[in-house]
Amino acid sequence: MERQPLTRRQFTTTAAALTAVGLAGCSDDDENGDNGDDDTFETDDPGALTLFFETEDGEPVSTGFSVLIEHDEEDYSSTHAEEIEDGELSDVNLLHEGEYTITVESEDGEFDDVEETVTLEEAEDEEETLVLEGATPDSEVEDEEDGEDEADDEEEETDDENGEADDEDDEDEAGDETDDEDE
């Protein structure tokens, strides 16, 4: 008995039927669409967290540090630095209720690391003030920036004055060359 080769139509139909049978065995959803797996990612509804950063004198601090917020039980953390303004990190939306450890690290060793624990409850906003002893307050950072801007402006003025003097020297030299050619 000789085997007949399958036509393209027979091959496609057979392949589709085998695929459907294979997939039907993989699907064990119940009537509600729940397959019994609890591997879904669920979040709680904790309130927003607002953090305030200040010196020991109560002045706001916004630069020179980063903030790490880690949930004590869940595998969740977030890092913040750029979004801190006027000593405040506002409305940090976290995924889980429970205890969080907040670690503030100086970028240049200006102050010792600060660590606090805060508990977030369902739909309750929480505020926490962290004192960064030895940190540079915003008022001094602004003064330094203003001083740098003034120094930059003075440097530009000096460059302009030197540039004009250089241009005059170039013109004198060009005039000297013309005089030499005439002789």
Side-chain angles (χ1 to χ4, degrees), residues 33 36 46-47 65 82 89 111 121 125 133-134 146 158-159 161 175 177:
F65 63 93
E82 300 299 321
L89 177 59
F111 59 88
E121 301 295 331
D125 293 347
E133 292 184 29
D146 290 342
T158 304
D159 288 345
E161 291 171 5
E177 289 175 12

Side-chain angles (χ1 to χ4, degrees), residues 29-142:
D29 289 350
D30 63 11
E31 292 176 9
N32 297 328
D34 183 14
N35 64 5
D37 292 339
D38 288 335
D39 294 340
T40 57
F41 181 75
E42 293 183 24
T43 61
D44 298 329
D45 185 25
L49 175 64
T50 301
L51 300 174
F52 298 97
F53 307 96
E54 59 185 41
T55 64
E56 57 275 10
D57 296 330
E59 295 185 57
V61 180
S62 302
T63 59
F65 63 93
S66 63
V67 181
L68 174 64
I69 303 172
E70 296 177 288
H71 194 276
D72 289 352
E73 295 175 11
E74 301 290 335
D75 185 23
Y76 176 80
S77 66
S78 63
T79 304
H80 308 272
E82 300 299 321
E83 59 268 41
I84 301 168
E85 293 184 21
D86 299 323
E88 181 178 337
L89 177 59
S90 298
D91 298 327
V92 179
N93 292 315
L94 302 171
L95 300 177
H96 304 283
E97 297 170 10
E99 284 195 12
Y100 284 86
T101 299
I102 302 164
T103 306
V104 181
E105 296 179 356
S106 174
E107 291 176 355
D108 56 5
E110 188 175 49
F111 59 88
D112 292 334
D113 292 353
V114 175
E115 188 171 291
E116 292 284 333
T117 301
V118 65
T119 302
L120 291 180
E121 301 295 331
E122 183 176 347
E124 288 185 29
D125 293 347
E126 189 71 34
E127 294 182 353
E128 185 74 25
T129 301
L130 293 101
V131 177
L132 312 178
E133 292 184 29
T136 303
D138 290 350
S139 59
E140 288 183 24
V141 171
E142 290 169 4

